[in-house]
Structure formats: C-alpha cells, structure tokens
Amino acid sequence: MSRPWSLFDDHLRLAVRLTPNGGRDALDGVEADGEGEAFLKARVTAVPEKGKANKALILLISKSLHLPKSSISLVSGETARRKILRIDGDPEDLVKKLEIFLG
C-alpha cells in the first residue's frame, strides 16, 4: 500500500479521512480507498461546526508528532471528510516521525 503523504521541498502533505464526533481523539492507522489512494484515519470528539473538528485534527496531529500547531495547516477539505494537511518542516524528518508513530 502507498503512503498517505507527498513530499515537497519544505513541507509534507498528508491525506487524512476525519471522523468528527468519533467518541475519542485518535489516529487509527492507514487505509486505502477504492482507487488505492492511502489516507490516515483520524477521529476527534469535536463536532463538525465552525471548523471545530478541523482544529481538533490539527491539535491531534501536532501532539502525536510532537510538532507545533503553527506548522500544520489545512490545504483542502474544509467541509469534507477527506482532507489534505500541509506540515511545514524538513520532509525527511517528518516522514521519520510519521513512520515511527504509525509503525
């Protein structure tokens, strides 16, 4: 299976499928959709109103990868379950953090 990220010169883009009202805040591993595109499954307790779930997702990713919230931004999918996050930093270091976290 492919990985849910794309590398760029100064950042990494991470594909995420978010479940708001998910009962707990958690990253639930990597999965592929019907076309074989990989994404990180995430759930948050926040509701999908006024960007609350998106903010909770950014906080969850920042805590999980030990990164500042300010280095993570939403590129696309503001109102959709499928989202693309931009994570600023050295792409190779970010991949190492993701691989360690995801196993």
Side-chain angles (χ1 to χ4, degrees):
M1 177 178 7
S2 63
R3 292 293 187 183
W5 56 76
S6 303
L7 302 179
F8 293 85
D9 288 339
D10 63 344
H11 70 282
L12 171 147
R13 290 195 181 182
L14 181 64
V16 178
R17 181 176 180 275
L18 179 63
T19 302
N21 287 327
R24 61 188 170 99
D25 292 344
L27 299 176
D28 295 329
V30 176
E31 200 170 272
D33 62 14
E35 287 113 38
E37 295 288 323
F39 57 87
L40 177 64
K41 294 189 320 180
R43 66 176 69 200
V44 294
T45 57
V47 295
E49 295 173 358
K50 300 179 184 175
K52 290 178 184 176
N54 292 335
K55 289 176 185 171
L57 172 63
I58 289 171
L59 182 62
L60 175 62
I61 297 284
S62 71
K63 284 182 177 180
S64 298
L65 300 179
H66 306 288
L67 297 169
K69 288 187 303 187
S70 60
S71 70
I72 303 171
S73 58
L74 187 65
V75 173
S76 68
E78 187 172 325
T79 60
R81 281 186 173 231
R82 295 290 301 262
K83 301 177 183 302
I84 303 292
L85 296 178
R86 175 187 169 125
I87 305 176
D88 291 324
D90 180 1
E92 290 182 19
D93 287 343
L94 294 171
V95 166
K96 286 178 189 173
K97 286 184 178 196
L98 280 165
E99 287 176 339
I100 289 168
F101 183 78
L102 296 173

